[in-house]
């Protein structure tokens, strides 16, 4: 199987990439809308990020909810065609 995460690959996730992650509600997918390479305030909490360990803001496909995750929690996901 190929490498599906950002770690161990050349390059990283970027704005516009479609990714998936596990949540309490199960597997969620969405599109990266921002990449943070320094600490940032999000929903009242400081999230730690760096050039070597960025965090990503992702908008959920289903709910439009925005979540922040480190790259190790994300996997590339195929886009589903709208019917």
């Amino acid at each position: 199987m190929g490498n599906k995460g950002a770690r161990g690959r050349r390059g990283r996730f970027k704005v516009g990439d479609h990714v998936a992650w596990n949540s309490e509600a199960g597997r969620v997918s969405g599109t990266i809308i921002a990449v943070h390479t320094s600490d940032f305030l999000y929903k009242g909490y400081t999230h730690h990020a760096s050039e070597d360990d960025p965090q990503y803001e992702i908008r959920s496909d289903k709910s439009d909810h925005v979540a922040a995750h480190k790259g190790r929690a994300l996997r590339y996901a195929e886009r589903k065609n709208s019917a």
Side-chain angles (χ1 to χ4, degrees):
M1 289 193 151
N3 185 352
K4 296 178 184 171
R7 288 196 178 268
R9 11 179 7 226
R10 288 187 116 241
R12 302 185 174 137
F13 296 111
K14 63 186 181 305
V15 171
D17 283 348
H18 194 246
V19 296
W21 66 98
N22 288 322
S23 76
E24 298 84 13
R27 198 88 171 139
V28 180
S29 63
T31 302
I32 294 177
I33 60 171
V35 179
H36 296 275
T37 56
S38 60
D39 294 353
F40 64 104
L41 191 63
Y42 182 75
K43 294 186 178 180
Y45 295 94
T46 299
H47 289 253
H48 300 286
S50 67
E51 287 285 340
D52 291 332
D53 196 16
Q55 285 217 26
Y56 302 88
E57 284 186 58
I58 310 110
R59 183 177 312 281
S60 169
D61 291 336
K62 288 187 178 178
S63 68
D64 273 346
H65 171 81
V66 175
H69 292 291
K70 291 203 173 206
R72 63 181 158 265
L74 304 175
R75 301 288 178 258
Y76 283 104
E78 289 186 26
R79 292 186 191 276
K80 293 185 179 181
N81 293 332
S82 299

